[in-house]
Amino acid sequence: MVKSHEAGPGPVGPLNAITDVPGLKVGNAGDFGLRSGVTVILPDRPAVAAVDARGGGTGTRETVLLDPSATVERVDAIVLSGGSAFGLDAASGVTGWLAEQGRGFRIKEAVVPIVPAAILFDLQNGGDKDWGRMAPYHQLGKDAAAVASIDFALGNAGAGIGAAAGDLKGGLGSASVLMGTGVTVGALAAVNPVGSVVMPGTAHFWAWPFERDGEFGGSPPLPKPLTWDQNYSFPQGTAGQNTTLVAVATDAVLTKAQAQRVAVMAQDGLARAIRPVHTPLDGDVVFVLSTGRIALKDPISELATIGMFAADTVARAIARGVYEAETLGETLSYRERFTK
């Protein structure tokens, strides 16, 4: 294991993506006629994982086993999918693909891949959802796993294809940070909230204080503070039709309980980037993965610092997902609305 050095924040990784965490790949697959897709986070080896769910309309699979008291310690992949409940089939596709590779939890001769998943709602975005008896997500899951790599597309890609962020086009975003201890923290977000990612009456992302290297447009500071009459009014909608799905990863050695604490802290990144968030209309979920490369010298203070940077990195990934998205149908992208 790599030993720790001095503490303190560092620059983003070369890709400014979750795959700056050594030992991770990401794969996207989607259908623009369908206006939906799947994103798979694929560790090179089984990874310690945890989850924290705060939305009022979550759709998940195999998240109970991520509880620290559960028997299974590690997962083989995490799946983020469009398609609402139909999209949970994507995890079955990934499970099958992993089984073909001989990867999974071994019980005597049996091999069972462990693939937690979460879904977002994109069924009413104008795409062709007339798929008949069999939804396409099983195959999309297999396709996404098969193309997983260190480099992957953002914006209208994978689970972000059909996403909408309030009245802007949502998308897939990612960001990373290298801590002074040598630990890398990365985040991946499929951004589909009912809330707004920009301050009312402005082109400023709520996450602008955390931006690094102009990753989502280099928004300048606000010319004046927001006044109360500019506050974002509560949206109208139906519960379960929106969601922001997040995966956080680190190469720090974490137990399941420690990973869950990072997931709890990382939820603050959603609150820094979206307003309102964790509503009855959203299914917000944060997964955390530990690839276990760097041991913590001070498990309390270093864990707290990892959680702090995880929250900041999640906020950046959310804004970047919207910034990188392209207009699709009648839903305008951030850049088309504000920069043209």
Side-chain angles (χ1 to χ4, degrees), residues 15-283:
L15 297 174
N16 192 22
I18 194 171
T19 48
D20 287 324
V21 175
L24 279 187
K25 296 182 176 66
V26 170
N28 288 321
D31 183 327
F32 279 86
L34 183 70
R35 294 191 184 176
S36 190
V38 173
T39 297
V40 176
I41 302 96
L42 194 66
D44 293 341
R45 301 191 306 271
V48 170
V51 68
D52 187 77
R54 297 290 174 93
T58 57
T60 59
R61 163 181 158 147
E62 292 197 290
T63 53
V64 173
L65 60 77
L66 300 182
D67 186 275
S69 66
T71 301
V72 174
E73 288 289 331
R74 299 171 186 269
V75 305
D76 299 290
I78 297 288
V79 174
L80 312 180
S81 180
S84 190
F86 299 100
L88 291 174
D89 280 349
S92 296
V94 176
T95 299
W97 183 87
L98 287 164
E100 290 173 348
Q101 317 300 312
R103 298 173 60 174
F105 183 71
R106 293 188 175 273
I107 309 171
K108 294 185 178 180
E109 294 80 19
V111 178
V112 183
I114 307 300
V115 185
I119 47 88
L120 58 81
F121 186 95
D122 58 5
L123 298 181
Q124 295 180 335
N125 60 10
D128 181 8
K129 306 302 194 295
D130 187 18
W131 50 59
R133 179 174 295 180
M134 293 297 294
Y137 294 97
H138 185 280
Q139 186 62 47
L140 288 174
K142 291 182 67 175
D143 293 345
V147 300
S149 67
I150 293 174
D151 198 4
F152 60 98
L154 300 179
N156 292 15
I161 288 177
D167 60 353
L168 292 172
K169 178 68 181 71
L172 190 71
S174 198
S176 70
V177 63
L178 176 63
M179 296 170 53
T181 57
V183 168
T184 300
V185 177
L188 178 76
V191 188
N192 188 59
V194 71
S196 177
V197 297
V198 294
M199 299 179 185
T202 79
H204 288 77
F205 285 101
W206 286 111
W208 72 264
F210 309 101
E211 184 177 21
R212 290 172 174 243
D213 301 328
E215 62 195 344
F216 40 87
S219 299
L222 282 173
K224 59 181 180 179
L226 291 174
T227 58
W228 284 107
D229 60 355
Q230 290 176 301
N231 281 349
Y232 184 73
S233 59
F234 195 82
Q236 301 298 312
T238 302
Q241 291 192 0
N242 298 86
T243 286
T244 298
L245 305 177
V246 172
V248 170
T250 180
D251 54 355
V253 177
L254 301 180
T255 65
K256 285 174 72 176
Q258 289 172 323
Q260 188 174 49
R261 177 51 50 189
V262 173
V264 169
M265 294 182 70
Q267 287 279 6
D268 289 347
L270 277 77
R272 292 171 188 170
I274 302 165
R275 186 165 183 268
V277 74
H278 304 148
T279 75
L281 309 162
D282 293 281

